[in-house]
């Protein structure tokens, strides 16, 4: 059975840890990705409503270009901001391969943030958020079905210079 964002929202922190540890990195996805933020605490009663609120007001996903750079899709207007480099590397969680989203070299606003993700299903990735080396949250990224991609310009992923 394929996992969905809803399944991941219900999994809880321990379930997400287990799933992340046993999942492969997968290929680095390209283009616009639909995102869901997941808090580590509060259980399903908090995770679902908070994820909807974040999606409506703050963070909608990411756009990854073909040269290894990423921009976050911010606000309901899909503003592309907060740049990062994307590459494969070892996870801070278990030292196994993952897809690293590294803000430290090119983002002033998010210099202390590092995201890591692994593929947990067809077109679905589970990510862990690190802040100053502490695990603070989770997110999902989903490759949208053909024809339903957001209006974000794939080439405008925000690569520097």
């Amino acid at each position: 059975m394929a996992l969905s964002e809803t399944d991941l929202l219900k999994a809880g922190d321990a379930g997400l840890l287990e799933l992340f540890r046993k999942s492969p990195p997968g290929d680095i996805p390209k283009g616009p990705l639909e995102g869901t933020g997941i808090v580590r605490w509060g259980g399903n009663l908090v995770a679902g409503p908070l994820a909807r609120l974040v999606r409506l007001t703050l963070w909608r996903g990411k756009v990854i270009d073909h040269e290894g750079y990423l921009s976050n899709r911010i606000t309901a207007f899909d503003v592309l901001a907060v740049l990062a480099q994307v590459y494969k590397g070892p996870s801070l969680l278990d030292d196994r391969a993952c897809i690293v989203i590294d803000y430290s070299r090119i983002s002033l606003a998010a210099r202390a943030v590092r995201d890591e993700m692994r593929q947990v299903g067809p077109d679905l990735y589970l990510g862990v958020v690190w802040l100053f080396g502490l695990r603070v949250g989770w997110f999902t990224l989903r490759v949208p079905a053909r024809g339903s991609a957001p209006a974000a310009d794939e080439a405008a992923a925000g690569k520097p210079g």
Side-chain angles (χ1 to χ4, degrees):
M1 182 170 98
L3 290 172
S4 69
E5 290 91 341
T6 303
D7 297 326
L8 298 177
L9 280 167
K10 293 177 181 176
D13 191 53
L16 294 174
L17 268 172
E18 180 182 339
L19 180 60
F20 189 86
R21 283 189 169 121
K22 72 178 188 180
S23 298
D27 293 328
I28 297 173
K30 304 289 188 258
L33 304 166
E34 298 292 325
T36 301
I38 304 173
V39 294
R40 289 190 56 203
W41 40 263
N44 193 34
L45 290 176
V46 173
L50 191 55
R52 283 188 289 281
L53 178 64
V54 167
R55 176 131 176 94
L56 286 171
T57 60
L58 298 173
W59 181 75
R60 301 179 54 77
K62 299 178 186 293
V63 178
I64 302 175
D65 74 9
H66 293 278
E67 297 177 26
Y69 292 95
L70 166 148
S71 289
N72 283 276
R73 297 172 48 216
I74 307 294
T75 77
F77 300 106
D78 263 351
V79 175
L80 296 179
V82 192
L83 308 177
Q85 291 179 297
V86 182
Y87 52 87
K88 288 192 178 179
S91 172
L92 297 177
L93 189 68
D94 59 12
D95 209 35
R96 290 182 40 243
C98 70
I99 299 169
V100 175
I101 301 171
D102 183 357
Y103 296 92
S104 69
R105 296 180 191 146
I106 59 176
S107 174
L108 292 176
R111 190 166 299 265
V113 177
R114 172 186 167 111
D115 294 341
E116 300 175 348
M117 62 185 194
R118 290 185 177 146
Q119 191 167 10
V120 296
D123 296 329
L124 183 63
Y125 293 80
L126 173 62
V128 58
V129 180
W130 299 92
L131 179 63
F132 296 109
L134 299 172
R135 188 170 55 88
V136 296
W138 297 96
F139 65 93
T140 69
L141 288 176
R142 180 178 40 81
V143 178
R146 293 249 185 240
S148 67
D153 181 5
E154 183 174 326
K159 64 182 180 219

